[in-house]
Amino acid sequence: MEQLERYGYPALALLVLLEGIGIPTPAVSVVVAAAVLAGHGQMSLPLVAAVTFAAAVAGDNLGFWLGRRAGRPVILRWGRRVGLTEPRLTRAEEFFARRGRNIVVVARFIDGLRQTNGLIAGAIALPWRQYAVRDAIGGALWTALWVSVGAFAGGNLDRVHAFVRRYELPALVVAVVLAVSLVLVYVWRRRRRVTS
């Protein structure tokens, strides 16, 4: 938050852009913090949204072209420094192959895939036009979500805090029940596949 207050929009743009080329940064936190500052009148909310969207799409497309030009061996060589190991890259490539091109839209919301989806899409030679359209859609949705969260929190911080304290326990119970249900469904489906 201190860097954001000091350097403003350039810091926001740089951190979001770097995440798109595979360098882990606290991009989500920075976007939310910028929107909170906008909620307090220290930044412009439309400008925060525009900078976030432009930096997200630019970073992902830079990542795409790096992946396309460098290819898998270079990504593996340098990727280890940021946690992109061969098994992780292989799993991500398989995920892209199974889920199709539309995973690019959803990848923006999955930590790990958000930072590497451009590199992977470029490395597996996904056609750039197909990638760019889906990436822009994902970038717009991601920007809208986190800027909205920050703007709401910034303008209603006291109310948000009171709401969280009031519904903390019920929310935790619901989250645990959902998590257990998902695990049970997963185990049940897996057993069905094995016995089929």
Side-chain angles (χ1 to χ4, degrees):
M1 187 85 103
E2 188 180 312
Q3 261 72 4
L4 196 55
E5 287 176 355
R6 182 181 294 174
Y7 300 110
Y9 302 106
L12 172 64
L14 182 64
L15 290 169
V16 173
L17 183 130
L18 288 176
E19 187 181 60
I21 58 173
I23 299 170
T25 68
V28 171
S29 302
V30 169
V31 171
V32 170
V36 166
L37 289 174
H40 288 291
Q42 293 176 274
M43 296 179 89
S44 161
L45 193 61
L47 200 48
V48 166
V51 167
T52 299
F53 173 72
V57 171
D60 284 351
N61 279 278
L62 264 170
F64 179 89
W65 288 108
L66 283 171
R68 176 67 57 90
R69 298 286 178 242
R72 199 172 198 279
V74 174
I75 290 171
L76 286 173
R77 181 173 177 207
W78 297 102
R80 287 188 183 100
R81 295 178 184 205
V82 293
L84 187 58
T85 60
E86 185 160 11
R88 284 184 178 167
L89 181 60
T90 301
R91 280 196 308 270
E93 288 170 339
E94 289 168 359
F95 192 67
F96 265 77
R98 275 196 321 271
R99 302 289 182 207
R101 295 176 171 104
N102 291 329
I103 194 60
V104 172
V105 175
V106 181
R108 166 105 357 232
F109 297 91
I110 303 169
D111 200 34
L113 213 46
R114 179 172 63 250
Q115 294 86 352
T116 57
N117 89 84
L119 291 167
I120 294 165
I124 64 172
L126 188 68
W128 178 75
R129 284 185 184 171
Q130 293 176 13
Y131 174 79
V133 169
R134 288 163 175 83
D135 181 61
I137 293 168
L141 295 171
W142 182 81
T143 298
L145 171 67
W146 294 116
V147 168
S148 298
V149 166
F152 176 76
N156 301 285
L157 213 46
D158 293 336
R159 276 192 252 167
V160 169
H161 187 63
F163 180 83
V164 168
R165 289 177 96 191
R166 184 174 181 187
Y167 295 105
E168 192 171 29
L169 185 60
L172 184 61
V173 169
V174 168
V176 168
V177 168
L178 280 172
V180 169
S181 300
L182 288 171
V183 168
L184 290 173
V185 167
Y186 174 78
V187 169
W188 178 74
R189 284 185 177 173
R190 205 163 162 118
R191 283 188 180 167
R192 251 179 84 192
R193 275 191 224 138
V194 169
T195 57
S196 306

